[in-house]
Amino acid sequence: MPSCKRTAGVVRVYADHEALSRAAAELFVRQANEAIKNRGRFSVALSGGHTPQRAYELLAGPPFNTQVDWGRAHVFWGDERCVPPDDPRSNARMAREKLLDHVPVPPANIHPIACADSAKNGARSYESLLRSFFDGCPKSFDLVFLGLGTDGHTASLFPGTPALLEKDRWVTEIYSEKEAIHRVTLTAPILNQALILAFITSGASKAGMLREVLNERHEPERFPARLIKPDCYGGKLYWLADKDSASLVET
Ligand code: 6PG
């Protein structure tokens, strides 16, 4: 549906990072319960970065930890650095430490991106895994959390990279010159099929970019977060932002 015009989505502004994290945890619980009631399982793609860590910590403790039927949750990631699973830069490690080690998600339902050996192979196997998991379903994830970089990237979709042009593949590899590291990332074609996609942004350093990505122009090669438009496919886009990151956004 290339002609569908991106809309800004729903912007929700919270007093501070704590309130923002609570709202993200509440959204997770709401979506989990809704999905399990309607489809018998809940599929979520987590984001890396610093911003969502507090939301994951909150989900790991009361009252949220008892509000989700974790046995029916399936956990995926939006992107990963190709490092060993116990490397401090691993997004899967962060989510395990903050959340997954503390709640009863069956290990078989936890699907980290494994690419330490080869980014290319890692991307291929994650794509097969996702295609078989979503077989026959009209939509993909029940919930995707995404972060926003100060350069406009989201997941590992960085400005000016070939991953932004991807129309068919759901998962691809990229090389980050800045970090000298390979990464694997979900692409717009699969992310946009999510039922709910929520960006979580916090801090004054994000204010300029948040204003930029929320305007109606497209230019995804400069501002990759603008590729995200689940509303074109029947899903919903939320921007959960704290006051500092939303200080330049008209609400
Ligand atoms: C990762 C990400 C990335 C992240 C943004 C925002 O690098 O692990 O998935 O897209 O979400 O860079 O990161 P912060 O929350 O740390 O600002």
Side-chain angles (χ1 to χ4, degrees), residues 132-148:
S132 94
F133 185 82
F134 290 120
D135 190 33
C137 300
K139 300 298 294 174
S140 71
F141 302 101
D142 298 302
L143 177 66
V144 174
F145 279 146
L146 286 177
L148 177 68

Side-chain angles (χ1 to χ4, degrees), residues 73-237:
H74 291 261
V75 183
F76 298 85
W77 276 264
D79 71 327
E80 185 58 283
R81 292 172 190 78
C82 295
V83 293
D86 57 350
D87 188 289
R89 294 166 296 176
S90 156
N91 286 344
R93 174 182 161 155
M94 182 275 274
R96 278 199 315 271
E97 287 181 355
K98 301 290 176 193
L99 172 60
L100 302 171
D101 286 350
H102 313 284
V103 292
V105 184
N109 293 7
I110 299 178
H111 310 283
I113 299 174
C115 59
D117 295 337
S118 149
K120 201 170 173 183
N121 292 345
R124 288 209 180 123
S125 16
Y126 212 60
E127 172 134 6
S128 314
L129 173 76
L130 289 176
R131 288 200 186 258
S132 94
F133 185 82
F134 290 120
D135 190 33
C137 300
K139 300 298 294 174
S140 71
F141 302 101
D142 298 302
L143 177 66
V144 174
F145 279 146
L146 286 177
L148 177 68
T150 50
D151 60 354
H153 81 261
T154 189
S156 293
L157 298 168
F158 291 97
T161 55
L164 306 180
L165 305 173
E166 199 49 68
K167 295 279 179 286
D168 301 314
R169 286 180 67 185
W170 287 6
V171 188
T172 191
E173 64 279 6
I174 75 129
Y175 181 70
S176 159
E177 305 268 353
K178 206 167 108 194
E179 300 168 307
I181 223 172
H182 291 275
R183 287 174 172 239
V184 165
T185 186
L186 269 54
T187 60
I190 177 73
L191 291 170
N192 282 332
Q193 292 290 340
L195 282 178
I196 301 275
L197 211 145
F199 279 88
I200 310 180
T201 67
S202 170
S205 67
K206 302 286 170 77
M209 188 45 67
L210 185 56
R211 178 182 58 187
E212 193 62 64
V213 297
L214 284 176
N215 82 39
E216 290 206 344
R217 288 195 308 271
H218 194 43
E219 296 176 291
E221 63 293 342
R222 285 182 65 203
F223 305 107
R226 290 203 192 135
L227 282 170
I228 303 304
K229 46 178 186 179
D231 39 346
C232 285
Y233 304 86
K236 278 194 191 139
L237 175 61

